[in-house]
Amino acid sequence: MVLSLPELLLLGGGERKLTACVLLLLLELFLEGAEVEASSADVENHLELGKRFLANNQLSDALTHYHAAVEGDPSNYLTLFKRGTIYLALAKTRFAIQDFSQVLELKPDFTAARIQRGSVYMKSGEFAEAAQDFEYVLQLEPYNEVVIESQSRLGPAHEQWEIVQELLDHGDYRNAIPLLTQLLEIAPWSIRFRQARSDAYILTDDLLSAISDLRSVNRLSQDSTDGYYQLAKLLYRVGHATNALKEIRECLRLDPEHKDCFPFYKRLRKVEKGLTSAEQSRDEKQYEQCITSALTALKHENDEPMIIFEAKRLLCTCYTRDEQYTKALSHCKDAIVIQRDAQVYCDRGDAYIGAEMYDDAIHDFQEALNIDENLQRAKEGLDRAKKQQKRAERRDYYAILGVKRDASKQEIHKAYRKAAQKWHPDNFQGDEKKVAEKKFIDIAAAKEVLTDPEKRRQFDNGQDPLDPEGQQGGFQHGGQPFAHFHHGSPFQFKFHFN
């Protein structure tokens, strides 16, 4: 006899207690059935949504729904296989292998999963594991052409890796690099091969190639603090302080107290701030601030050549545009010693023009064109230097001493003494000395012309009496511009040409 729920509720005593237990059991079973149906419907919904996102190539969104589907039914090997395939498309190889392995535990004869896992192993450089999967498939499908072709590449690749290891052990990095490149065509996801090639690039001073490989290593490793640190150090070495700072912050995001990243971050932040501020000030034509910021960067870094180059390059530019030509020439020279850069040569060319050293300016613009023959700035600078050189061939001796055209001989002597004291070459060093020598020669020439009545008359009439192509044939005293300093000059200069 089957009782209805009202009849069950009307029973009394022991019968009611027993029936109550049965009722609770039935309710529990009913609710469980409802959960299964709901769960199954939910899984199907996630699978359908995942399929739609997958069709639109929205892999991350598809992965989210396949996650939910797997959680709802972890024994469904097809769902696991689909999620593994998406992991593969997202280059998350470790998770893809985990899913394919779980599929094969549920269904060992599912060859599609085994082929996929073998392919991932091969592309990850795990040749022995790949060989096992391919051999298993060939036992079931001996004529599978895709697997046969993949299997045939494993043996030679393994042998080539052994050769590479021998070359690396003997320090033959240049010959190891092309062999590693060939291996990475077979195993593009191999952390081991990419790390080896990155190390080889570093040891052959090809830092940009090393950075490219290290980025791949870090991506494949999925958030490695050591990877971020190594990448930041390399970027800093090539002078990319801002990019280095980004990488070191990623390291600190994973480990705020990292023993290498944290102290490097403290120094790097100051240097990067100085360089970034200098560049911004240069672009805003705030040249004094640019100079201050670049000098601050140098204060915190005096060892790394390319960072020093970046600071010196900025100082070269900003001192030139601020018309502090002697200081500009010094910093331009320091930058060029580190790296021959076309733009720095152009900056120094502009500084030489400002210092009226046209031969040197022409040389630098030509050097810039030797580096980049299409550099328009260098072409325009070269043309400008030649024109100004031609215009400057007739010197204005009054302007050189800063006196009026009717200045007395006494005023000329006074202006000469002041200018000679200021520009005496013994007061300067390096490229600044070259500027002083040029100024000093012009000052001496101006004094000689303007204190000699006949030469001054010739100059006032439009002739340069010191022009080597003119009638006078150059300076007095056999053409030596400084000979008169020892004949009545108020100064006894000791002057040495380099």
Side-chain angles (χ1 to χ4, degrees):
M1 178 182 67
V2 178
L3 299 177
S4 66
L5 184 57
E7 290 173 326
L8 285 169
L9 294 173
L10 289 172
L11 291 175
E15 288 180 333
R16 187 169 181 174
K17 289 183 180 179
L18 178 61
T19 305
C21 291
V22 172
L23 177 61
L24 290 173
L25 180 60
L26 288 172
L27 287 171
E28 184 177 350
L29 289 172
F30 173 78
L31 291 173
E32 282 185 358
E35 285 180 4
V36 169
E37 290 179 9
S39 177
S40 177
D42 198 38
V43 167
E44 289 300 323
N45 184 47
H46 282 300
L47 288 173
E48 181 60 30
L49 289 171
K51 184 179 178 181
R52 290 180 188 176
F53 282 121
L54 197 57
N56 292 323
N57 202 34
Q58 296 173 261
L59 299 181
S60 296
D61 292 323
L63 184 61
T64 299
H65 288 287
Y66 279 112
H67 274 318
V70 169
E71 288 177 3
D73 185 6
S75 63
N76 189 323
Y77 70 91
L78 286 175
T79 305
L80 279 165
F81 179 74
K82 291 173 184 177
R83 189 178 72 173
T85 303
I86 296 174
Y87 274 135
L88 197 55
L90 292 170
K92 297 185 176 182
T93 55
R94 180 161 56 89
F95 295 112
I97 286 176
Q98 288 176 358
D99 273 0
F100 294 143
S101 297
Q102 196 170 345
V103 167
L104 293 170
E105 288 178 8
L106 295 169
K107 190 171 178 58
D109 62 346
F110 189 23
T111 56
R114 200 171 290 276
I115 291 172
Q116 285 282 45
R117 190 176 71 173
S119 177
V120 176
Y121 277 139
M122 184 174 76
K123 290 181 178 180
S124 300
E126 305 296 335
F127 297 143
E129 291 82 353
Q132 289 179 358
D133 276 342
F134 291 151
E135 287 169 4
Y136 189 99
V137 172
L138 289 175
Q139 289 176 4
L140 301 175
E141 303 175 12
Y143 302 108
N144 189 313
E145 293 182 0
V146 173
V147 175
I148 291 171
E149 195 275 333
S150 296
Q151 178 80 307
S152 68
R153 303 175 72 186
L154 293 176
H158 180 74
E159 292 175 4
Q160 186 158 319
W161 171 236
E162 291 182 342
I163 294 171
V164 166
Q165 288 177 295
E166 290 182 10
L167 291 172
L168 295 175
D169 288 342
H170 289 86
D172 190 354
Y173 306 111
R174 295 194 181 279
N175 283 321
I177 288 171
L179 295 180
L180 281 165
T181 301
Q182 291 173 3
L183 282 172
L184 284 167
E185 292 175 2
I186 300 171
W189 302 333
S190 172
I191 295 174
R192 180 174 47 173
F193 296 165
R194 285 205 180 272
Q195 184 67 59
R197 191 171 69 169
S198 176
D199 293 341
Y201 276 136
I202 292 172
L203 292 166
T204 55
D205 206 31
D206 187 353
L207 299 186
L208 292 178
S209 295
I211 287 169
S212 178
D213 271 348
L214 265 185
R215 286 193 187 282
S216 297
V217 168
N218 218 28
R219 186 167 56 251
L220 292 165
S221 301
Q222 297 175 358
D223 293 337
S224 161
T225 53
D226 185 60
Y228 284 124
Y229 175 68
Q230 294 300 330
L231 190 52
K233 292 287 285 184
L234 268 189
L235 286 165
Y236 193 67
R237 278 185 63 184
V238 298
H240 296 178
T242 299
N243 289 333
L245 187 60
K246 290 178 182 177
E247 301 298 337
I248 213 68
R249 281 176 172 157
E250 286 298 310
C251 174
L252 293 175
R253 180 179 62 83
L254 298 172
D255 182 359
E257 302 296 329
H258 193 278
K259 62 182 181 65
D260 294 320
C261 291
F262 185 66
F264 182 45
Y265 167 74
K266 290 195 294 185
R267 176 164 60 99
L268 173 55
R269 182 182 58 182
K270 295 174 183 176
V271 173
E272 194 273 342
K273 182 179 179 181
L275 293 177
T276 301
S277 175
E279 288 181 347
Q280 183 177 346
S281 299
R282 176 202 60 195
D283 296 341
E284 295 173 354
K285 299 182 180 180
Q286 303 292 325
Y287 301 124
E288 289 186 9
Q289 182 57 48
C290 168
I291 291 164
T292 300
S293 297
L295 290 172
T296 299
L298 280 177
K299 177 182 176 182
H300 295 291
E301 180 55 74
N302 52 17
D303 292 323
E304 200 61 65
M306 289 310 299
I307 294 295
I308 295 172
F309 168 81
E310 291 297 322
K312 291 286 185 178
R313 174 181 63 83
L314 288 162
L315 288 169
C316 170
T317 301
C318 293
Y319 271 125
T320 298
R321 295 181 185 177
D322 201 42
E323 299 183 2
Q324 299 187 57
Y325 301 121
T326 55
K327 290 183 178 179
L329 290 173
S330 176
H331 290 291
C332 294
K333 178 182 178 182
D334 291 343
I336 288 170
V337 166
I338 296 171
Q339 178 171 289
R340 294 178 69 254
D341 181 89
Q343 293 294 343
V344 177
Y345 272 115
C346 287
D347 280 333
R348 192 169 72 170
D350 288 338
Y352 276 135
I353 288 177
E356 300 178 8
M357 301 171 68
Y358 303 112
D359 285 337
D360 292 302
I362 289 169
H363 172 270
D364 271 6
F365 287 122
Q366 188 58 60
E367 282 295 316
L369 287 171
N370 291 342
I371 296 170
D372 182 358
E373 62 182 9
N374 297 315
L375 185 60
Q376 189 62 29
R377 181 188 176 191
K379 293 177 181 178
E380 293 172 356
L382 183 61
D383 183 60
R384 187 171 74 254
K386 288 179 177 179
K387 286 180 178 178
Q388 293 201 27
Q389 183 183 50
K390 188 174 183 179
R391 190 181 301 123
E393 286 176 353
R394 183 179 183 276
R395 292 171 289 187
D396 185 345
Y397 295 120
Y398 291 104
I400 289 170
L401 291 182
V403 296
K404 297 179 179 179
R405 296 190 75 84
D406 61 353
S408 67
K409 192 171 184 178
Q410 183 179 3
E411 289 173 329
I412 291 168
H413 274 296
K414 182 179 179 181
Y416 162 72
R417 286 194 295 270
K418 182 179 178 181
Q421 285 179 324
K422 178 180 178 181
W423 290 105
H424 194 288
D426 284 351
N427 296 330
F428 299 88
Q429 300 291 330
D431 283 334
E432 294 183 9
K433 193 181 188 75
K434 291 177 66 177
V435 175
E437 289 171 358
K438 170 68 169 57
K439 295 278 189 183
F440 202 60
I441 289 172
D442 287 344
I443 291 165
K447 187 252 186 185
E448 175 152 350
V449 169
L450 299 183
T451 57
D452 184 300
E454 177 59 24
K455 291 179 180 176
R456 184 172 181 177
R457 183 189 64 78
Q458 291 177 10
F459 181 72
D460 289 342
N461 289 333
Q463 295 180 340
D464 187 348
L466 302 185
D467 185 350
E469 298 180 0
Q471 296 179 354
Q472 299 302 314
F475 287 102
Q476 287 182 330
H477 311 292
Q480 296 299 320
F482 300 103
H484 66 285
F485 289 148
H486 302 288
H487 297 275
S489 170
F491 305 105
Q492 293 299 317
F493 295 110
K494 185 178 180 182
F495 179 70
H496 305 281
F497 284 105
N498 287 333

